[in-house]
Amino acid sequence: MSSRIPLGIRQCNRLLAAPIYSSNEAPSQARLFSTSQVHYERHDCKVLVVGGGSGGCAMAAKLSSHLGKDKVIVLEPEDRHYYQPMFTLIGGGMKRLEQSYKTMAEVLPKKAKWVKEKAMEFDPDNNTVCTSGGDTIKYDFLLIATGLQLKYEKIPGLAEALEVPNGKVCSIYSPKYAEGVYDVLRRTTGGNLIFTFPDSPVKCPGAPQKIVYIVEHYFRKLGKRDKVNITYNTALPVLFGVKHYADALWPICKKRNITVNTRRNLVEVRHAEDIAVFEDLENPGQLCEEKYSLLHAVPPMSAPDELTKCRKLMNTAGFVDVNNSTLQHVRYSNVFAIGDSSGTPNSKTAAAAAAQSPVVFRNMIAAMEGKPLTEVYDGYASCPLVTGYSTCILAEFDYSLTPLETFPVAQNKERYSMFIMKKDFMPLLYWKLMLPGHWNGPGLMRKLFGVFKPNKK
């Protein structure tokens, strides 16, 4: 439902400071439009979903199927929806960028209304969101699914280095740069190869080291492994947050002669000199310079600025302040969050969003009906740790960082079967089941496979 709001009484936009002219006309020749003729939309909906990523699409599908046509609005400015877990494989030359996306029109549910604009201002006290086009969206319930923004500009010199033609700096984290990783890799003939993990939360926290293993395997396959030194500098105090899998990854690094430096954070890139500057987080202010032939940089990340401006919605860490179990906002009972922008302390992965989706859906419906919220999210996340061109360790765990594995085999071992599942099966599951709202994570599979697992005493 929508209605026109005259400029003089609309809620979101500031008055235009200059006259409005028709395009391609000089002011002296232009046809001046009266501002009284400019109108902006006001939309009303049962549920507003802000963000058309993994969680937003899945939830829009579930909610619009339950509530009916045009009861759900999805606010999303992008034309393309990317399957971002594929970016690591693209960086290793195993997939192409065009295989990683579909148009937003293809993946958003037909029963939902798509407003192709960006959320600019959140006003949870009045149940409204203002858009980049000047519209106001009034909602009964709000689902925040904005994901994270990449902040390459926060590291001096990094954004500029990524734009250098035939340069040596690359990053799998953006569709703008993902294909360029393999180009840099093929141009590299020797020297120091440096990979980073930033001092901030990131989406898919296993990806920064997946590309390390892929690149190491690439040079082994070429018979040129002895020509390169490979270093992984991570701001974290550990190689991987779940000890069960970290204990399997450390021997891989040792066997493959990958140097791992913890608590080392990239703070500057001087691409003209091929130098990366790192800070020792154990000794703040202590810097070291490292020369590189290839630098793979992971940018700092945060919730979108437009969202963090609304402090009433955010926790002190800068993420949406929701209950860890119900995913309902701690102050606004008609606000929920899903995915990477949520303040829940789980690993930020697509698998986590899938596991959150039935919890958010059922709890939102319960809230609409005035019933208690009974569904609980246990923090499940999954990270298929690709360790080369044919192997993968499938990490699955919960809030407590306890393994929560699906299959009746030891998942802390490198397996070809897990690699094929990651490379070929998971993209199909994502497009065909998760985005249409039919995939709720592997919980049911885990129960079925449980009969084949040995009993632990």
Side-chain angles (χ1 to χ4, degrees):
M1 181 185 298
S2 65
S3 58
R4 293 282 185 179
I5 301 180
L7 180 66
I9 61 172
R10 63 189 175 83
Q11 297 178 347
C12 294
N13 281 268
R14 312 295 183 258
L15 289 173
L16 298 174
I20 302 175
Y21 302 97
S22 61
S23 61
N24 302 318
E25 293 179 323
S28 61
Q29 301 170 324
R31 181 172 67 256
L32 178 64
F33 293 99
S34 167
T35 55
S36 64
Q37 295 175 323
V38 181
H39 291 79
Y40 295 85
E41 295 277 357
R42 166 165 165 166
H43 308 268
D44 294 273
C45 60
K46 184 71 174 179
V47 180
L48 172 60
V49 178
V50 180
S54 303
C57 274
M59 284 302 302
K62 290 177 182 290
L63 289 165
S64 62
S65 177
H66 181 84
L67 298 173
K69 188 173 177 59
D70 293 336
K71 298 292 185 180
V72 176
I73 288 178
V74 180
L75 185 59
E76 169 57 55
E78 298 296 329
D79 290 310
R80 291 178 176 179
H81 179 111
Y82 287 93
Y83 176 58
Q84 297 180 51
M86 192 177 286
F87 288 176
T88 310
L89 302 180
I90 293 169
M94 289 177 266
K95 295 282 188 178
R96 301 184 308 278
L97 185 65
E98 58 264 30
Q99 294 176 291
S100 70
Y101 69 83
K102 295 182 183 293
T103 65
M104 197 64 68
E106 287 180 89
V107 299
L108 290 177
K110 305 306 179 188
K111 289 184 178 180
K113 179 179 180 180
W114 177 23
V115 175
K116 191 176 178 295
E117 296 177 19
K118 187 177 184 180
M120 298 301 291
E121 296 180 20
F122 291 79
D123 184 357
D125 291 320
N126 291 300
N127 297 333
T128 60
V129 171
C130 300
T131 78
S132 55
D135 296 351
T136 301
I137 303 178
K138 178 83 171 178
Y139 59 81
D140 293 338
F141 285 82
L142 172 65
L143 176 64
I144 301 173
T146 59
L148 301 183
Q149 63 181 355
L150 307 177
K151 308 194 83 169
Y152 287 101
E153 74 283 357
K154 288 295 184 180
I155 300 175
L158 176 55
E160 295 82 357
L162 286 164
E163 298 295 336
V164 173
N166 299 316
K168 299 178 181 179
V169 180
C170 55
S171 179
I172 58 169
Y173 265 86
S174 167
K176 182 178 180 180
Y177 304 126
E179 277 192 313
V181 175
Y182 193 55
D183 293 334
V184 175
L185 182 55
R186 287 183 292 179
R187 289 196 300 269
T188 304
T189 57
N192 297 322
L193 282 52
I194 302 175
F195 301 79
T196 74
F197 188 112
D199 188 23
S200 82
V202 302
K203 50 187 170 183
C204 193
Q209 64 181 286
K210 295 178 196 179
I211 192 64
V212 180
Y213 304 129
I214 291 171
V215 169
E216 190 279 333
H217 194 187
Y218 172 86
F219 282 97
R220 263 194 295 131
K221 291 200 305 175
L222 289 181
K224 297 181 179 179
R225 179 62 182 87
D226 60 334
K227 304 294 184 183
V228 296
N229 302 310
I230 298 179
T231 302
Y232 178 49
N233 288 340
T234 173
L236 297 175
V238 293
L239 179 58
F240 192 73
V242 182
K243 186 177 184 299
H244 181 67
Y245 303 108
D247 288 346
L249 293 167
W250 278 113
I252 292 173
C253 292
K254 183 177 180 180
K255 178 181 178 181
R256 301 185 190 179
N257 197 24
I258 297 170
T259 300
V260 179
N261 297 312
T262 59
R263 303 295 285 160
R264 188 171 294 191
N265 183 44
L266 179 66
V267 295
E268 184 183 1
V269 178
R270 301 206 299 264
H271 67 84
E273 307 167 67
D274 297 335
I275 286 178
V277 182
F278 292 88
E279 181 181 17
D280 181 355
L281 297 180
E282 292 297 326
N283 298 284
Q286 182 174 313
L287 305 178
C288 67
E289 298 180 356
E290 299 184 28
K291 188 87 170 177
Y292 61 82
S293 296
L294 178 154
L295 173 65
H296 178 271
V298 178
M301 302 177 202
S302 72
D305 294 338
E306 296 79 10
L307 179 58
T308 58
K309 283 190 304 184
C310 183
R311 295 186 178 180
K312 294 179 179 180
L313 288 174
M314 313 306 285
N315 62 19
T316 56
F319 296 94
V320 183
D321 199 2
V322 295
N323 180 280
N324 291 348
S325 298
T326 65
L327 304 176
Q328 182 186 46
H329 198 274
V330 297
R331 289 181 293 278
Y332 298 96
S333 61
N334 65 333
V335 176
F336 290 76
I338 189 171
D340 297 348
S341 60
S342 163
T344 52
N346 56 278
S347 185
K348 297 182 182 299
T349 68
Q356 290 170 353
S357 65
V359 176
V360 176
F361 171 70
R362 291 165 189 156
N363 283 341
M364 285 189 81
I365 297 303
M368 292 176 195
E369 296 174 350
K371 297 178 180 178
L373 278 56
T374 58
E375 293 295 318
V376 172
Y377 172 55
D378 59 7
Y380 173 83
S382 172
C383 184
L385 290 157
V386 176
T387 54
Y389 283 83
S390 59
T391 53
C392 176
I393 290 173
L394 181 59
E396 296 180 284
F397 46 93
D398 60 15
Y399 273 140
S400 66
L401 304 182
T402 301
L404 194 60
E405 298 182 342
T406 298
F407 298 97
V409 295
Q411 291 182 204
N412 62 340
K413 298 184 183 299
E414 295 180 279
R415 296 183 183 276
Y416 177 69
S417 58
M418 299 301 177
F419 174 81
I420 292 300
M421 184 173 67
K422 157 69 178 176
K423 177 175 173 285
D424 299 321
F425 176 72
M426 287 184 177
L428 289 174
L429 183 150
Y430 182 82
W431 297 120
K432 301 295 185 181
L433 292 180
M434 181 177 172
L435 294 192
H438 306 313
W439 177 251
N440 296 326
L444 179 59
M445 289 177 59
R446 191 179 305 117
K447 290 180 181 179
L448 294 174
F449 282 125
V451 299
F452 301 105
K453 295 181 181 180
N455 292 325
K456 294 182 180 180
K457 296 182 179 180

